[in-house]
Structure formats: structure tokens, C-alpha cells
Amino acid sequence: ILTIGKDKTIKHFGMDRKEVRTYTMGGDITAHSIARDGTSFTAFAGKSGKVWQLSDGKELFSFDAPAEVLSVDRSSDNSRIYLGCADNLVRVYQLKDKQYIQGFPSKNPVKGLAGVPNQAIVGFVSENGAGTHSISWVRNSVVSEKGLTSSAW
């Protein structure tokens, strides 16, 4: 279990509800996600992010984005990181060498993001105002949009 605190910390608890360790970020935590295989997690505070291994707390990667990160996910094989940014762009990077692969525009800041396991598809959500959201699915640079009032997938 991971909890995100207003004190710029992430606390890791075991199944026995005892605290295992605390991770500290340099600012308010704006995005976080757990790897699909449950072995690591990612957190961003504004533009700065880190990936930690859950088993021993080791920092695996640090990452600096060009814009504030509001949502984050990784590919099912943990080779790519998807960043939903405040500047209306989803950015895709190779995680190991931090190489930029591609960006996908959004009409508004990207507040939700998910990669589809085993496929080259990324879904992202941006708020359109008046409580509505736009969800976009991207595959091979093709974007389709449909207005939605919820953002679950």
C-alpha cells in the first residue's frame, strides 16, 4: 500500500499495515503510478520524477520533464514512460535512456493517463470545463475523441 502525503512524502505500508519506508519528493506530488507488475512505482513533483523499486526502496531512475507532470503511467514491460503534462501534451519516452519518442496534443492539461497493456495505445483524459472530460486514444499517431462525463477505463 502506498499513501501520498501533503508533506511531500510517499509512505509504503506492508499488508500487515506496518510502515516499510518513506520516500521524499522535492515538492508537492502531482502524479504517481505503480508498475503493472507491482515491483516499482513512479512519482512526480512538478517536473521532477523518480522511479523506485518497492522491494528495497532503491531509486531506479530520476527524470526531468519539460512541463509539470499531472499524470504518469508506464508500458506493461516498463520500457516506456507516458507523461500527461500541464502544457496539453502527452509525452512518451524510453525510460532507460530517457529518449523522447513522441508527443500527442490535448485540448487541455492531461489529468489522467493509461497505457493499454501489450499494445501501442495510450488513453488520456483532459477536462473540458463544466464537469465534462474528453478522452483520447492514441495508436500510431491517430487520435480519436469522444466527449465523456467520466474517465474510467
Side-chain angles (χ1 to χ4, degrees):
I1 301 169
L2 294 175
T3 63
I4 309 299
K6 289 206 176 259
D7 59 354
K8 302 173 179 64
T9 64
I10 301 158
K11 295 188 182 211
H12 176 195
F13 294 89
M15 295 308 290
D16 60 0
R17 297 185 184 186
K18 292 182 182 176
E19 187 175 332
V20 176
R21 69 185 50 84
T22 298
Y23 306 88
T24 303
M25 295 296 291
D28 292 335
I29 297 163
T30 55
H32 63 301
S33 69
I34 298 175
R36 286 181 178 81
D37 62 8
T39 60
S40 61
F41 74 96
T42 306
F44 271 83
K47 297 179 182 181
S48 298
K50 295 182 180 183
V51 178
W52 285 284
Q53 190 165 287
L54 283 168
S55 63
D56 60 7
K58 178 183 175 187
E59 184 179 312
L60 301 174
F61 299 99
S62 63
F63 203 91
D64 291 315
E68 180 182 14
V69 177
L70 303 176
S71 53
V72 62
D73 198 12
R74 285 186 279 160
S75 59
S76 57
D77 65 0
N78 290 318
S79 66
R80 292 183 177 186
I81 188 167
Y82 310 113
L83 307 178
C85 298
D87 65 353
N88 306 353
L89 195 63
V90 173
R91 291 177 169 88
V92 182
Y93 293 86
Q94 285 294 116
L95 188 57
K96 199 167 216 169
D97 61 7
K98 303 173 190 170
Q99 180 182 353
Y100 179 76
I101 297 172
Q102 192 169 13
F104 302 104
S106 175
K107 292 179 183 175
N108 295 294
V110 182
K111 296 185 176 183
L113 179 67
V116 177
N118 302 319
Q119 295 188 39
I121 299 175
V122 178
F124 55 95
V125 177
S126 60
E127 190 173 344
N128 292 332
T132 63
H133 296 82
S134 174
I135 187 167
S136 303
W137 294 97
V138 179
R139 181 179 181 140
N140 298 329
S141 303
V142 177
V143 177
S144 62
E145 292 188 351
K146 181 178 180 183
L148 299 176
T149 56
S150 65
S151 57
W153 51 116

